[in-house]
Amino acid sequence: MINEYEKLLAGLDDVDWAGLSHAYGSAHDVPGHIRTLCGDDDEARKQAFNSLFNSIFHQGSRYSASPVAVPFLARIAVAGPAAARAKTMLLLTRLAVDWHDEYDVTTGINVAGWRAAAAEAGPEEFLPWYEEQLAGATDTDERAQLQEMRDWVAAGNSPDSRWSALQSYDAVLAELPGLLILLEETPVGPGLIGRAVTELTAAARSPFDRVTDYCEGDLHGHIQRTLRSLPPGSNPASVREALEACLPRIVWDSSGSRTRRAIQELFPAPLPHPAPRFADLTAAQQQLLGDLAGHLHTWLIRSSADRLRELGLPHTQEALQSYVGTHRTA
């Protein structure tokens, strides 16, 4: 391993990793994977990341080894090899918040409710049950397994996923002040908000051919939710500009609700009568109506027909195609 990164792993070998667990049992292999992240073998680093994602964060589940690994991962995210930092930060976000909580990220996770649920699933709730089972067990192997679990719970652990998830979340939360240096700006200052709006606007205007972990892969839907969650005082003109760039590209959903929401946002009031030329609409309005006119699923327009009619716009696909096509060629 490169010596310059040795200091990031101080204390790694002092942890009783074998006494901790991950998705596949004993976490004895975790320190080796973490150490490999700081090496210079790219292929080995890739394999180490895969192993960590599959073990201490397995399909959204966290384990007793998960929060213990967080401080070492946080140091690597801030000052580790360039090839490891971004992926390490991704792992940290996953250890804090998994896919099941993704829809609450932009509007705020109910941490108080999470803590209440975790308290109900804490070690003290399970210890009496294990002791009762242990007292009645007669099979030697069964008693050994129950004793192991009883001792593990007595040491302050819980088999409930809500509890282990919260431990992992809190571990990342404790590292957050140090991780904020990656932003290179005050964490709640206007400079950061302006930078966020600028970057979100650029992303909203761009085609997106990669999968995002949030909003069922709908990047533009995720951007829209994020923009709406910005604190009061954000530049409303910039936010509006970003929303207008984003809304027409939101992935259509099976209920048509995103379509109706986009129409509501981009056409907040009835248009003049008769309807303006297609060419006189904003770029975002043109894109939305153009996408609707050419969409394979005609039910999307039917689900929004009432709103389109209220706006004075064509409300069948044939009428929209004529409206869009006529003005596009004019």
Side-chain angles (χ1 to χ4, degrees), residues 303-318:
S303 71
S304 305
D306 289 344
R307 181 58 185 161
L308 291 171
R309 187 184 295 110
E310 290 173 2
L311 290 165
L313 289 169
H315 51 274
T316 67
Q317 189 161 42
E318 293 78 8

Side-chain angles (χ1 to χ4, degrees), residues 2 34 74 83 86 96 124 148 213 258 287 289 316 325:
I2 302 175
I34 292 177
E124 62 278 1
E148 182 179 356
D213 289 329
R258 294 181 190 171
Q287 183 174 334
L289 295 183
T316 67

Side-chain angles (χ1 to χ4, degrees), residues 52-99:
L52 290 169
F53 271 97
N54 288 329
S55 58
I56 63 174
F57 175 78
H58 180 73
Q59 298 181 355
S61 296
R62 273 64 56 91
Y63 306 85
S64 61
S66 304
V68 182
V70 165
F72 303 104
L73 295 172
R75 295 177 206 164
I76 294 172
V78 171
R85 295 174 66 187
K87 202 71 175 285
T88 303
M89 193 65 202
L90 175 61
L91 178 55
L92 284 169
T93 65
R94 280 292 168 233
L95 290 171
V97 179
D98 75 349
W99 294 299

Side-chain angles (χ1 to χ4, degrees), residues 162-246:
R162 295 171 296 176
W163 182 88
S164 56
L166 183 63
Q167 304 306 302
S168 190
Y169 171 88
D170 279 341
V172 178
L173 183 64
E175 298 296 331
L176 193 57
L179 293 169
L180 286 174
I181 194 174
L182 297 174
L183 296 175
E184 299 180 349
E185 294 217 40
T186 306
V188 293
L192 178 60
I193 293 175
R195 175 181 168 185
V197 172
T198 298
E199 292 189 4
L200 289 170
T201 303
R205 288 173 172 164
S206 304
F208 189 71
D209 57 3
R210 303 184 304 279
V211 175
T212 177
D213 289 329
Y214 300 105
C215 290
E216 298 177 334
D218 178 9
L219 173 73
H220 294 93
H222 180 58
I223 292 173
Q224 180 259 153
R225 290 168 62 97
T226 303
L227 289 167
R228 294 185 184 287
S229 70
L230 293 176
S234 305
N235 187 325
S238 297
V239 172
R240 181 68 191 177
E241 179 184 357
L243 280 171
E244 289 195 353
C246 177

Side-chain angles (χ1 to χ4, degrees), residues 324-330:
V324 171
T326 297
H327 289 289
R328 276 182 169 169
T329 58

Side-chain angles (χ1 to χ4, degrees), residues 128-146:
W129 184 87
Y130 279 108
E131 291 181 338
E132 180 181 349
Q133 296 300 307
L134 186 60
T138 56
D139 180 79
T140 302
D141 292 338
E142 181 185 7
R143 282 189 60 83
Q145 292 177 357
L146 285 169

Side-chain angles (χ1 to χ4, degrees), residues 3-145:
N3 291 332
E4 65 180 296
Y5 299 118
E6 189 70 47
K7 61 183 182 298
L8 303 180
L9 306 181
L12 184 67
D13 294 330
D14 296 334
V15 176
D16 179 18
W17 294 101
L20 301 173
S21 65
H22 56 42
Y24 302 104
S26 169
H28 68 279
D29 56 339
V30 168
H33 295 318
I34 292 177
R35 180 167 275 108
T36 299
L37 301 184
C38 289
D40 54 7
D41 186 328
D42 289 339
E43 184 58 33
R45 179 167 33 246
K46 179 180 178 180
Q47 293 177 5
F49 272 124
N50 288 338
S51 296
L52 290 169
F53 271 97
N54 288 329
S55 58
I56 63 174
F57 175 78
H58 180 73
Q59 298 181 355
S61 296
R62 273 64 56 91
Y63 306 85
S64 61
S66 304
V68 182
V70 165
F72 303 104
L73 295 172
R75 295 177 206 164
I76 294 172
V78 171
R85 295 174 66 187
K87 202 71 175 285
T88 303
M89 193 65 202
L90 175 61
L91 178 55
L92 284 169
T93 65
R94 280 292 168 233
L95 290 171
V97 179
D98 75 349
W99 294 299
H100 305 100
D101 303 304
E102 65 187 30
Y103 290 102
D104 296 326
V105 170
T106 54
T107 54
I109 294 174
N110 181 9
V111 178
W114 195 354
R115 293 193 187 286
E120 296 177 359
E124 62 278 1
E125 301 297 323
F126 286 90
L127 186 58
W129 184 87
Y130 279 108
E131 291 181 338
E132 180 181 349
Q133 296 300 307
L134 186 60
T138 56
D139 180 79
T140 302
D141 292 338
E142 181 185 7
R143 282 189 60 83
Q145 292 177 357

